[in-house]
Amino acid sequence: MLLSDEEQRMLDGEYGPGTQRAMAFLKTLGEALEAEKMVRVTSTHILPDMPTEYLEQMTEGVAAMRTMVSLMPCFDPQYWREQYGIVSTEELIGGVGLTDEKDYATNMAILNKLGVIPTFTCTPYTVGIVPRRNDTVIWSGT
């Protein structure tokens, strides 16, 4: 897979360990899909309740996101505990498991520090995040 000079510097670790890990993952994925090169992404829309250890590893040494990132909705476990007394990650609400309170708080602190937009919607275009012609977006669940 052909990398630009900047992408290669990211892969070589010049931008820190988190960026290096992310680029290694993306390069492996691109090669598995037989991609010729990477494309610049205009915006992403992600789940905030990913595994905390993974998020910490992928953002180690990263000061800010390189593209606009907004968040999908998720269950705030503190809210569910305070409002409904549900505290176990084993309990389900509408068939969806709840994230651990500590993990949720850690993830949100990391994402806030990086400048992620807390839209908490499945449809970012309804809150003003609208792709323009020729934009490349990576929006999970939309």
Side-chain angles (χ1 to χ4, degrees):
M1 188 165 131
L2 181 64
L3 298 179
S4 70
D5 290 340
E6 182 180 31
E7 291 163 350
Q8 188 61 55
R9 289 194 307 273
M10 289 178 189
L11 183 62
D12 291 342
E14 188 175 317
Y15 293 85
T19 299
Q20 184 177 30
R21 286 184 197 101
M23 284 301 294
F25 172 79
L26 291 172
K27 184 172 187 282
T28 300
L29 179 62
E31 288 172 345
L33 297 173
E34 299 181 359
E36 294 177 21
K37 63 179 183 173
M38 293 190 181
V39 297
R40 181 158 302 276
V41 173
T42 309
S43 80
T44 63
H45 192 64
I46 63 170
L47 289 164
D49 59 353
M50 64 191 80
T52 300
E53 184 178 343
Y54 175 77
L55 181 60
E56 289 171 335
Q57 290 173 358
M58 292 300 192
T59 60
E60 181 184 354
V62 176
M65 295 296 196
R66 295 181 170 275
T67 191
M68 185 186 68
V69 180
S70 57
L71 293 179
M72 294 281 293
C74 68
F75 290 102
D76 178 342
Q78 180 180 347
Y79 173 84
W80 286 93
R81 177 180 51 78
E82 291 173 355
Q83 295 297 312
Y84 306 106
I86 298 173
V87 295
S88 170
T89 57
E90 301 301 317
E91 295 185 58
L92 300 176
I93 299 294
V96 178
L98 299 178
T99 304
D100 177 75
E101 263 187 73
K102 182 178 179 276
D103 289 344
Y104 179 84
T106 300
N107 285 10
M108 290 309 299
I110 292 168
L111 295 169
N112 286 330
K113 178 187 76 122
L114 296 174
V116 172
I117 303 167
T119 54
F120 299 117
T121 179
C122 292
T123 53
Y125 44 84
T126 63
V127 294
I129 302 173
V130 181
R132 296 176 295 189
R133 185 182 192 130
N134 297 320
D135 280 356
T136 302
V137 300
I138 308 298
W139 291 359
S140 63
T142 57

